[in-house]
Amino acid sequence: PRRAVAVTFDDGYADNYALAYPILQKYAVPATVFASSGLIGSRKIFWWDKIGEMFKKTHRPVLETATIRRAADNLIRLPTVILLSSPTERRAAASNVVKALGQLEHGRVAAVVEVLTDQLGVGAEQIDTERHRLLTWSELQTMAANGVDIGAHTVTHQNLARIRNEGELRKEVNESKRQLEEGMGKRVRGFAYPYGLPQHYNGAVRAAVVDAGFRYACAAREGRVTPESDRYEISRISMANAPLPLALWKVFKCL
């Protein structure tokens, strides 16, 4: 409908249920949660949250990046030395490392995270997993039964454009749909590309999504949706860390 707004949440964080869901229910606002099926109900957290926790908890004053760059096969650019002497420097470092790793394939990201764990000296017991907890199946089922549509966001939240093996690519797409449908007992129609920028999906990824039977797919490119929009590349408006006035302005400028 004209001037309609669609509310979506990516990844499947538990705060979608704890914080957003009661508000959506109170005001009868429909929404869609795109969940990474392989992490639902687990105690695992996303790699970027783990990196953020490690930089936050580290007591190392500097980080030398030569080993990190080697673990990434020298496919990322980072300063030779990163200063970590203040909270501001540690936050900036975490942001820069996460941004750099977002361009890599899943295996290289895991290798870099392992190196970072050693270099920053932050063990698993120091990671606040509860703060970054993902949805349980029970929470997902409750939302799905009460007006929240559930979409797929792959199994493990990989950069799909970096997957070279077509079988692995299609498994990430197909299995996410199958696992969610089996876990909820409901059909899953929508898909959201992990990370969602043009460099994170391509023709092969789109074909896998179409062939899996999804009716539409959301990207992260900002923009207005019209009847002529490609329904396998739907634009959205990011609200990440946006204060309320900016969030409202971003929405209303597209209406």
Side-chain angles (χ1 to χ4, degrees):
R2 186 174 176 271
R3 297 175 67 84
V5 174
V7 180
T8 65
F9 300 85
D10 279 7
D11 303 332
Y13 283 102
D15 61 8
N16 294 176
Y17 178 81
L19 302 179
Y21 176 59
I23 298 171
L24 297 171
Q25 287 290 99
K26 180 179 179 179
Y27 294 102
V29 176
T32 302
V33 170
F34 294 103
S36 295
S37 62
L39 292 107
I40 298 169
S42 74
R43 301 303 299 177
K44 297 177 182 178
I45 63 174
F46 287 116
W47 62 264
W48 56 85
D49 290 326
K50 185 175 183 180
I51 287 176
E53 283 283 311
M54 289 193 294
F55 275 101
K56 180 181 178 181
K57 301 286 178 61
T58 187
H59 295 292
R60 304 286 167 85
V62 297
L63 173 68
E64 296 183 1
T65 64
T67 306
I68 296 170
R69 286 181 276 118
R70 283 197 297 273
D73 290 343
N74 293 310
L75 295 174
I76 59 174
R77 292 184 179 181
L78 290 171
T80 304
V81 175
I82 298 176
L83 299 178
L84 304 173
S85 56
S86 70
T88 300
E89 287 178 340
R90 290 193 289 273
R91 284 194 296 270
S95 177
N96 290 336
V97 170
V98 166
K99 184 177 180 180
L101 295 188
Q103 308 305 315
L104 301 180
E105 56 89 14
H106 203 62
R108 287 196 177 102
V109 172
V112 173
V113 172
E114 188 174 337
V115 170
L116 276 170
T117 301
D118 179 63
Q119 289 196 291
L120 294 174
V122 178
E125 72 282 355
Q126 295 173 265
I127 303 296
D128 184 359
T129 56
E130 184 61 26
R131 181 167 180 262
H132 306 286
R133 183 175 72 82
L134 299 170
L135 290 163
T136 65
W137 281 108
S138 176
E139 291 167 340
L140 200 72
Q141 290 161 0
T142 297
M143 290 193 295
N146 292 281
V148 178
D149 193 37
I150 306 300
H153 201 41
T154 71
V155 178
T156 59
H157 202 289
Q158 294 197 39
N159 179 350
L160 296 177
R162 290 293 184 181
I163 300 178
R164 304 305 179 195
N165 182 285
E166 185 178 356
E168 183 183 347
L169 166 61
R170 289 181 175 260
K171 183 177 179 180
E172 276 289 319
V173 175
N174 294 338
E175 278 295 291
S176 64
K177 190 175 193 295
R178 184 195 66 78
Q179 290 174 0
L180 288 169
E181 289 180 338
E182 186 177 283
M184 297 185 304
K186 295 182 70 172
R187 186 182 177 194
V188 171
R189 300 170 298 171
F191 185 87
Y193 302 108
Y195 309 111
L197 296 176
Q199 64 265 34
H200 299 128
Y201 57 93
N202 52 31
V205 173
R206 177 194 171 101
V209 171
V210 173
D211 292 346
F214 290 103
R215 292 180 59 188
Y216 70 92
C218 290
R221 178 184 293 170
E222 295 211 352
R224 185 168 176 264
V225 179
T226 71
E228 291 74 38
S229 295
D230 182 344
R231 64 188 173 107
Y232 288 98
E233 196 173 354
I234 295 175
S235 300
R236 290 186 289 176
I237 304 168
S238 174
M239 293 291 114
N241 302 316
L244 184 58
L246 175 59
L248 292 174
W249 179 79
K250 291 175 77 171
V251 171
F252 284 112
K253 75 174 184 177
C254 288
L255 294 180

